[in-house]
Amino acid sequence: MALARARNGWVVWATLILALLLGVAPVPQFMEIGRPLWLALFLSFWVLALPHRIGMISAWCLGLVEDVLFGSLLGQNALILTLITFLVLSLHRRLQMFPMWQQSLVLLVVFGIAQLVQLWLNALAGNRPPTLAFVLPALISALLWPWVFAILRALQQRFSVH
């Protein structure tokens, strides 16, 4: 069996770079607490769409870049994104069969677990006192999932990324 050559991989990386930029884009102070997990959303889509090309190594590297951009503890976001990618890869076949609202619910749980781990790491490092507001980015990200999915699916089909 001949190896299929990857087509238009630049689209994947361009969207992931866009997600990094959305993650550091300035927002009003009152919206900062509910900032969506853009990189986790985009990465989850590409892991579902292209599990043979985007995986845990990509998540780890993107997480390190996010750590540098946010100025957080080196490896913290890398660990979180790797955890999200592992969970999405573990649920890959089920998520593809679920309707959109069930995908959003599953991703709410996945992102919630990731936010809980991030809260725990922040508490260990002494950076932030624990609050219940850590669930807000996971909730907003789950609500944005249908739109992110539709936009990235259209890009994938338009540029025939596989």
Side-chain angles (χ1 to χ4, degrees), residues 1 7 14-15 24 28 36-37 40 42 50 57 62 68 97 101 115 135 137 139 144-145 156 159:
M1 181 172 157
R7 292 192 52 206
T15 58
V24 296
L37 306 169
F42 283 48
L50 305 169
I57 293 175
L62 286 166
V68 171
M97 292 187 327
W101 68 272
Q115 287 296 99
V135 237
L139 179 63
L144 286 174
W145 173 250
Q156 181 188 15
F159 291 102

Side-chain angles (χ1 to χ4, degrees), residues 79-118:
L79 177 67
I80 300 301
L81 284 177
T82 305
L83 173 67
I84 290 171
T85 302
F86 171 75
L87 292 172
V88 170
L89 279 172
S90 298
L91 300 167
H92 175 257
R93 292 289 181 201
R94 286 187 195 130
L95 278 171
Q96 285 185 331
M97 292 187 327
F98 287 163
M100 191 59 61
W101 68 272
Q102 281 183 329
Q103 285 182 8
S104 293
L105 285 177
V106 170
L107 287 176
L108 173 63
V109 172
V110 168
F111 295 154
I113 290 170
Q115 287 296 99
L116 188 62
V117 171
Q118 187 162 23

Side-chain angles (χ1 to χ4, degrees), residues 6-7 9 21 35 40-42 46 55-56 58 61 67 92 158:
R7 292 192 52 206
L21 292 175
R35 180 187 290 269
L41 277 169
F42 283 48
W46 289 117
M56 294 195 326
S58 303
C61 293
D67 286 330
H92 175 257
R158 166 74 173 92

Side-chain angles (χ1 to χ4, degrees), residues 11 21 25 28 41 43 45 47 54 59 64 68-69 83 91 107 116 125 132 136-137 140 150:
V11 174
L21 292 175
L41 277 169
L43 190 63
F45 173 81
V47 166
I54 304 295
L64 288 176
V68 171
L69 282 176
L83 173 67
L91 300 167
L107 287 176
L116 188 62
L132 287 178
L136 200 54
I140 291 173

